[in-house]
Amino acid sequence: MGCGASAPKNPDGNEGEPAPERPRRPDSPDPRRRGSYMSPQMGKPSEMTELPLSKERIASYSNHGIKPGVQGKASAKINQDRGQITYPLAGDTGMAMLCVYDGHGMAGEKVSEFAMLRMPDLIEAQRDRLRTETKAVLTEAFIRVDQELRDSPIPSSTSGSTGLLVLVTRERLWTACVGDSRAVLGHRVGGSVIAKPLTVDQKPDHPEEER
């Protein structure tokens, strides 16, 4: 997902394929999507009629970028970013999953949306292992999403997405990531709020990536 992948097995896949279905609203009869909430675009009202947690406790927004246009005039780019809150996770009110996907390339929005839709299903399918084998479950889910993406009609050989997941439990925070989206934790020091990185950006020029 992070920097594109191998060519998809389906050679007929092209950019014109429809994007996966968006998550359903909380009042949807489909239980798989009852706990998933997609980040709304900034400046536009949210489609969600109810929220999993109050706005004072959690908030999420996404915004499109801009690109140079004719005669130096900037034009809006399609929003390739996706953010998601899943709560309760796996039916457990003591767990929440917060995700960010930053798509890039000609079909980056399809890659990020694919990952956003699949990740909750894969994590919740392992609910019996989620508490005791958390690291393995998160790792396997990231690998599985990447494999399924390569087998899909989406042209992932020329497009990709970062993937950032924060699993919140009553006892601790778990993080999993690919690419250079970053999770930070704010904590108070005196009268200031200091941001503490929870993840390390995965960039090609990072010494660990060059090894």
Side-chain angles (χ1 to χ4, degrees):
M1 291 189 298
C3 301
S6 306
K9 289 185 178 180
N10 179 5
D12 298 325
N14 58 71
E15 190 181 344
E17 294 290 336
E21 183 183 358
R22 292 181 179 275
R24 300 178 185 271
R25 296 184 179 185
D27 55 358
S28 165
D30 186 345
R32 293 175 302 172
R33 294 285 174 241
R34 287 185 62 84
S36 293
Y37 304 78
M38 189 175 78
S39 300
Q41 168 103 2
M42 292 186 71
K44 295 183 179 180
S46 172
E47 296 181 356
M48 298 302 176
T49 56
E50 60 181 82
L51 299 173
L53 298 168
S54 69
K55 293 181 179 180
E56 289 74 23
R57 299 185 65 183
I58 192 166
S60 174
Y61 273 102
S62 177
N63 199 17
H64 64 76
I66 60 174
K67 60 183 177 180
V70 180
Q71 298 179 343
K73 294 183 178 179
S75 59
K77 295 171 60 177
I78 186 171
N79 192 343
Q80 296 185 312
D81 303 340
R82 297 292 184 269
Q84 185 181 47
I85 301 166
T86 301
Y87 177 83
L89 180 66
D92 187 341
T93 56
M95 291 196 296
M97 186 171 72
L98 317 176
C99 299
V100 169
Y101 305 96
D102 182 359
H104 52 264
M106 293 298 294
E109 71 279 4
K110 295 182 180 180
V111 177
S112 58
E113 183 131 333
F114 182 95
M116 178 190 69
L117 292 171
R118 284 298 289 141
M119 193 65 73
D121 289 345
L122 294 174
I123 297 294
E124 291 189 321
Q126 299 296 325
R127 66 182 63 202
D128 293 339
R129 300 172 56 213
L130 189 54
R131 285 283 190 180
T132 57
E133 302 176 56
T134 309
K135 181 178 179 179
V137 169
L138 298 183
T139 301
E140 291 165 9
F142 269 71
I143 294 173
R144 177 73 177 273
V145 168
D146 185 67
Q147 291 172 338
E148 292 185 2
L149 177 64
R150 283 184 284 171
D151 293 341
S152 76
I154 299 172
S156 58
S157 59
T158 56
S159 301
S161 175
T162 68
L164 173 63
L165 182 154
V166 177
L167 175 62
V168 183
T169 72
R170 290 189 175 94
E171 298 82 20
R172 63 188 302 180
L173 296 176
W174 293 84
T175 63
C177 68
V178 58
D180 58 1
S181 292
R182 185 184 306 178
V184 298
L185 176 67
H187 62 106
R188 293 189 179 277
V189 177
S192 302
V193 177
I194 306 299
K196 177 183 178 180
L198 297 179
T199 57
V200 177
D201 297 358
Q202 298 177 10
K203 292 179 175 289
D205 58 355
H206 192 284
E208 289 297 322
E209 294 290 330
E210 293 178 344
R211 291 177 60 180

